[in-house]
Amino acid sequence: MTVDLSRLAMTVLQPGYAGASLPDWMRGALDQGLGGIVLFARNHPLDLAARRIRERRPDAIVAVDEEGGTITRFEVAAGSSVPGNRALGVVDDVKLTERVGRQLGRMLARAGVTLNYAPTADVNANPANPVIGVRSFGPDPALVARHTAGYVAGVQGAGVAACAKHFPGHGDTTTDSHLALPAVRASRDLLAERDLPPFRAAIEAGVRAVMCGHLLVPALDPDLPATLSRAVLTDLLRGELGFDGMLVTDAIEMRAVAALFDPGEIAVRALAAGADAVCAGLVTEDGLYAMRDALVRAVRDGRLPEERLAEAAARVRAVSTWHAGQAALRDRALAEPDDPAGLEAARAALTVTGAGKLTGPPLVVEVNTRHSQAVDQDNPSGVTAALSAVLPGTRRVPLEPGGALPPLGTGPAVLVVHDAARHSWVRERLAQAVRERPDVIVIDTGIPAEPTGAAHLATHGVSRVSAQAAAEWLVS
């Protein structure tokens, strides 16, 4: 194994690790050329984790997926300070979206993050989608395209690289790729009209990275998921769309691809198809070096051209080089006063039907529906906390999926649901609650069903500021 080939292979890997401390073996991997590390909430405090990585290797990419709303790594304990994409799409103010992107970019710049695996550029064309939903700006391609571009401008204007995902579009699926391989069974013409415009907009906005999704798209490749498909990654993204930045895979431990091949084989096939960086959300020391060794063997065996590996490594280094050149932008952004764009967007996105208000502390029944595995399960809806702040004595009763509705009593009652439109059992509990208590107040933090209750509040996102906006309205 030559040193240069080994370092090239290490450069294209972007793994994550368990725990709050950077492991010694990960420090050693950085010394050996590891291209980057992706951080998750489990690595808190994240600013300290980023600093430790940079101390070891100043040019290593520090990545995180901080979408806002349901997907937050930095603010998982209290909820995000921005409402997420669906709320921004409901407001449909691109300048506000850009300000929200800049707010996130400023937070990441302060922590020393190089690359944000966001925005989600998927068009949520299928209302039954279990993994995208409110992570998308909406179901309209033109709307998603303009807000994707605005988000990219905001994040990168603060000197942090953005990454549009999940190419070629995860919106028209009914399967969570964390669990199995989803299929997008749309014609090539429909893909071009519906799914690709946001990615074209991101590329035109200068996005530094694109993340491919673990998706089978038969109109593009009937045999291989996008992650492993040259037709999707090279012919379409590079050739037709003209993207020349870094192309990173979604996490390869996700069952959509992990059920097909071992991590080393996935890395080899992804690189051969046109990917530049392999995201492995959680690896061991042995697992990391096994991927490196698989790439080296593939080059030596002629399965992976050395020129392709070198090209991929160069694109990874280009993101780091770009970030180093944006120091003045980051300094300017960090010198700005805090912008309340997130709260402003949450208030503007709140959609209210009915006129019910709260005059005293309520019983809050949180009708829980399991979020996808993309969401930290500790991420709170925030509604109970927001109501407790303005109405001390607020009580919380969690209702597990499929559970029976508890007695609502005679005092003020609030039901908090998520994506009621997707869950028949949630709609049944809502109907029961309204029969028993016509004055019940309903708050839906996801994609709502038809309004019901004395007042129905749709926040279009799970975040601290979305909950605050709802609480403010209910006591105003």
Side-chain angles (χ1 to χ4, degrees):
M1 182 184 299
T2 66
V3 172
D4 287 346
L5 196 56
S6 175
R7 288 190 76 88
L8 284 179
M10 290 293 274
T11 301
V12 303
L13 301 178
Q14 292 186 6
Y17 61 90
S21 300
L22 185 65
D24 287 341
W25 61 265
M26 193 69 89
R27 296 173 192 269
L30 288 167
D31 294 342
Q32 295 170 46
L34 183 64
I37 294 175
V38 57
L39 299 177
F40 292 89
R42 62 176 179 254
N43 304 129
H44 266 285
L46 297 188
D47 53 349
L48 178 59
R51 186 161 69 248
R52 292 288 182 259
I53 294 167
R54 291 200 166 283
E55 286 172 352
R56 196 73 178 197
R57 269 273 309 287
D59 62 338
I61 289 174
V62 180
V64 68
D65 52 341
E66 187 66 37
E67 298 176 19
T70 57
I71 307 295
T72 178
R73 310 308 183 192
F74 273 83
E75 300 184 294
V76 69
S80 178
S81 56
V82 304
N85 285 3
R86 181 74 175 208
L88 295 171
V90 168
V91 178
D92 196 13
D93 179 341
V94 174
K95 289 297 183 185
L96 182 57
T97 294
E98 185 173 344
R99 285 172 53 203
V100 167
R102 189 173 181 85
Q103 179 180 339
L104 286 173
R106 187 165 45 247
M107 177 176 68
L108 299 181
R110 184 175 296 113
V113 169
T114 312
L115 171 65
N116 189 14
Y117 288 156
T120 296
D122 305 307
V123 177
N124 197 56
N126 193 329
N129 195 313
V131 67
I132 301 301
V134 292
R135 297 170 64 193
S136 166
F137 291 109
D140 176 67
L143 179 144
V144 176
R146 60 180 175 264
H147 286 278
T148 294
Y151 190 112
V152 168
V155 172
Q156 295 193 166
V160 175
C163 177
K165 62 186 183 186
H166 308 80
F167 187 81
H170 206 320
D172 187 13
T173 64
T174 56
T175 301
D176 183 348
S177 51
H178 293 83
L179 306 176
L181 179 62
V184 179
R185 302 193 181 279
S187 68
R188 193 177 182 94
D189 287 345
L190 180 56
L191 293 169
E193 294 172 5
R194 183 191 65 192
D195 297 278
L196 297 184
F199 292 98
R200 291 186 185 276
I203 293 167
E204 291 171 3
V207 72
R208 306 306 304 181
V210 168
M211 175 181 283
C212 59
H214 302 317
L215 310 161
L216 183 66
V217 190
L220 302 176
D221 188 326
D223 302 315
L224 294 171
T227 312
L228 311 178
S229 171
R230 184 173 179 83
V232 175
L233 302 188
T234 297
D235 297 345
L236 179 58
L237 183 60
R238 301 292 190 198
E240 293 186 33
L241 272 62
F243 179 64
D244 194 39
M246 187 187 77
L247 173 56
V248 60
T249 71
D250 208 344
I252 63 169
E253 70 271 20
M254 294 165 65
R255 292 299 298 167
V257 291
L260 302 176
F261 303 105
D262 65 54
E265 183 67 12
I266 294 170
V268 169
R269 287 174 176 249
L271 266 289
D276 303 308
V278 177
C279 173
L282 182 60
V283 297
T284 62
E285 180 179 8
D286 289 345
L288 177 64
Y289 286 104
M291 285 190 290
R292 180 201 64 179
D293 293 346
L295 289 167
V296 171
R297 280 195 307 272
V299 172
R300 291 185 163 178
D301 293 345
R303 295 182 59 211
L304 178 65
E306 185 173 346
E307 296 78 8
R308 172 78 273 271
L309 181 59
E311 175 188 55
R315 287 201 180 108
V316 172
R317 289 193 294 267
V319 172
S320 179
T321 300
W322 177 88
H323 180 266
Q326 308 306 307
L329 280 184
R330 289 191 293 277
D331 289 345
R332 192 177 310 139
L334 292 174
E336 295 170 355
D338 287 338
D339 182 356
L343 180 56
E344 183 179 327
R347 287 168 173 161
L350 187 68
T351 306
V352 179
T353 304
K357 297 282 186 175
L358 291 174
T359 57
L363 169 69
V364 179
V365 180
E366 295 183 354
V367 183
N368 293 323
T369 50
R370 292 281 183 248
H371 291 301
S372 78
Q373 292 188 29
V375 182
D376 272 289
Q377 299 307 308
D378 292 334
N379 189 14
S381 74
V383 172
T384 303
L387 287 173
S388 296
V390 293
L391 294 170
T394 293
R395 294 173 296 140
R396 170 182 176 268
V397 175
L399 178 62
E400 292 305 303
L405 192 71
L408 299 179
T410 58
V414 175
L415 264 65
V416 181
V417 301
H418 184 79
D419 280 357
R422 288 201 305 112
H423 300 285
S424 59
W425 76 270
V426 174
R427 296 193 299 277
E428 290 169 3
R429 301 302 180 275
L430 287 173
Q432 178 188 352
V434 172
R435 286 195 303 271
E436 295 179 7
R437 289 286 306 274
D439 61 340
V440 72
I441 291 168
V442 177
I443 302 175
D444 197 323
T445 62
I447 298 175
E450 287 297 313
T452 187
H456 183 279
L457 284 67
T459 64
H460 306 286
V462 177
S463 70
R464 171 167 45 86
V465 288
S466 299
Q468 180 180 338
E472 289 173 349
W473 188 91
L474 286 170
V475 300
S476 62

